[in-house]
Amino acid sequence: MAFKVTPWEVEGDIDYKKLVREFGVNLIDNNILNKTKKITGQTHFMLDRKIFFAHRDLNFILNEYQKGNKFYLYTGRGPSEHLHLGHLMPMKFTKYLQDKFNVKCYIQLTDDEKFLFKENLSLEDTKKMSYENALDIIALGFNPKNTKIIINTEYAKTLYNQAIKVANKITFSTAKAVFGFKNSTNIGQIFYTSMQAVPAFLESVKQGKNIPCLIPHGIDQDPHFRVARDVLPKLGYLKPASIQGKLMPGLLENGKMSASIPKSAIFTNDSPKEVKEKIQNAYSGGKETLKEHREKGGNPDIDIPFQYLKFFFEPDNKKLKKIEDEYRNGKLLTGELKQITIEKINNFLEKHRKERENAKKKIDKFLLKD
Ligand code: TRP
């Protein structure tokens, strides 16, 4: 089946193997997993389960770390009206890496990007959304001492001074080839990738020496960082390393969670009742009738509620395996699996919303402004 993955469009049933070949990233293998385990004492379930499944230069990052040369983390979000679970997943993984390696982290919220790429949003809208989304991110437990949030237009002076140096090394024909721009594309879009490149070397600028950077991100963002890896050495900086995640599947049969398709996603402000309804209507790998399900079993691989447990809500590998096995052999019914998922999501969201309220008091400590 056809699929499409670009930084601005993700459609269809994604063939990750094919993407790995096309993008030229490396798969996370046992070597890398073992090395990570050696350093941190354990590997995160999102790594074990290959939800974060590919990387560039992760070996370099780990080797340097073992020599005492710490890296810093960089990730980001294009702001949207509300964040959904697919947005929180890589943030939560980033928080885990930060805790385990005890490193600094930059989080970029790209109000400029959203304004340039979405026809119906004003810059005021996207700026406001960035502040709102920052609360959801802070709610995951980040600490302002080692985490800084950048809203692009609020840190424009610092960013622009570096972005022009990046832009100076990217030709229109490269941007066209990588991102598919046309003559009708507005020129802000063409420049934008230089803004996304800046936090990948910002710490080196600040410290006046090269600091390795590791970027956890959804695989759709890789084209930006391919360009950044090409350009940064020309400016005297290291190539940023990266670790690529799969995109959290949407509630509907195909495609990812998408903020612009409300029915495809569970948002952080969905009520317990909405979550229940959404999961009950989610695409299922269960059989049509009870009898058939008991006899033949369900298919967790295509079952969306199961996938949510796997991607996010059941961190315990043993418990997940039990659910998977029982679903496959028909012992666990679709309704029961959905009930487990509904409870897990609602418990998470209840706590999340409290933390989000608390975040309002802390947000100023996180934001970089100039
Ligand atoms: N372009 C990204 C998006 O639309 C936002 C982003 C900026 C980002 N910097 C990043 C994502 C670094 C991952 C890592 O979501």
Side-chain angles (χ1 to χ4, degrees), residues 264-286:
S264 73
I266 293 176
F267 295 92
T268 58
N269 66 330
D270 279 350
S271 69
K273 189 163 163 275
E274 280 169 313
V275 170
K276 187 172 171 202
E277 281 167 9
K278 284 183 176 179
I279 292 296
Q280 276 171 346
N281 292 322
Y283 187 72
S284 163

Side-chain angles (χ1 to χ4, degrees), residues 151-208:
I151 296 175
N152 278 359
T153 59
E154 303 282 35
Y155 202 45
K157 184 176 167 196
T158 303
L159 294 180
Y160 185 70
N161 269 288
Q162 303 305 325
I164 49 173
K165 296 178 192 163
V166 177
N168 193 25
K169 302 281 182 223
I170 306 173
T171 63
F172 182 38
S173 76
T174 297
K176 262 203 290 204
V178 176
F179 300 108
F181 295 141
K182 305 197 181 70
N183 279 343
S184 58
T185 302
N186 76 54
I187 60 175
Q189 292 190 8
I190 297 160
F191 175 77
Y192 166 74
T193 194
S194 356
M195 294 294 279
Q196 188 157 326
V198 176
F201 63 103
L202 189 60
E203 192 58 17
S204 300
V205 174
K206 289 190 183 216
Q207 293 201 25

Side-chain angles (χ1 to χ4, degrees), residues 137-153:
I137 294 168
I138 294 167
L140 297 176
F142 286 102
N143 184 334
K145 278 210 184 90
N146 56 6
T147 308
K148 293 297 160 200
I149 298 179
I150 295 168
I151 296 175
N152 278 359
T153 59

Side-chain angles (χ1 to χ4, degrees), residues 218-362:
I219 182 114
D220 58 319
Q221 296 296 312
D222 183 66
H224 285 296
F225 301 119
R226 271 194 321 258
V227 174
R229 283 169 58 84
D230 195 40
V231 170
L232 297 199
K234 295 179 187 165
L235 301 176
Y237 299 106
L238 296 168
K239 285 182 186 211
S242 54
I243 175 160
Q244 283 86 23
K246 292 182 180 166
L247 305 162
M248 194 140 163
L251 291 156
L252 311 171
E253 183 171 354
N254 268 323
K256 63 158 193 164
M257 277 203 185
S258 165
S260 47
I261 311 172
K263 278 198 175 146
S264 73
I266 293 176
F267 295 92
T268 58
N269 66 330
D270 279 350
S271 69
K273 189 163 163 275
E274 280 169 313
V275 170
K276 187 172 171 202
E277 281 167 9
K278 284 183 176 179
I279 292 296
Q280 276 171 346
N281 292 322
Y283 187 72
S284 163
K287 294 289 183 303
E288 288 288 322
T289 64
L290 184 70
K291 186 164 171 283
E292 206 190 341
H293 189 90
R294 289 278 190 224
E295 277 166 17
K296 297 189 184 143
N299 180 359
D301 303 332
I302 57 165
D303 189 279
I304 297 300
F306 179 79
Q307 291 301 316
Y308 292 172
L309 295 179
K310 181 173 169 182
F311 268 71
F312 201 127
F313 292 101
E314 184 45 83
D316 185 323
N317 285 335
K318 279 200 197 112
K319 285 189 186 156
L320 187 80
K321 178 82 172 53
K322 184 161 181 268
I323 293 173
E324 179 172 0
D325 290 347
E326 291 189 357
Y327 195 56
R328 233 184 258 288
N329 70 27
K331 193 170 168 204
L332 188 70
L333 301 176
T334 301
E336 293 166 336
L337 173 58
K338 285 183 170 173
Q339 194 50 39
I340 296 172
T341 312
I342 291 166
E343 275 167 29
K344 293 249 177 206
I345 296 178
N346 276 335
N347 284 344
F348 170 83
L349 286 181
E350 193 188 317
K351 181 166 163 275
H352 182 81
R353 279 189 282 261
K354 278 192 201 124
E355 291 299 333
R356 194 181 185 282
E357 272 307 302
N358 289 337
K360 291 181 180 166
K361 288 174 266 174
K362 294 186 258 180

Side-chain angles (χ1 to χ4, degrees), residues 7-8 74-79 87 91 106-110 113-114 152 192 195-197 199 215-218 220-221 224-225:
W8 301 286
Y74 159 39
T75 191
R77 263 308 324 143
H87 297 141
M91 293 289 168
Y106 287 103
I107 299 172
Q108 182 178 45
L109 295 172
T110 56
E113 176 188 20
K114 271 293 150 92
N152 278 359
Y192 166 74
M195 294 294 279
Q196 188 157 326
I215 311 172
H217 66 82
D220 58 319
Q221 296 296 312
H224 285 296
F225 301 119

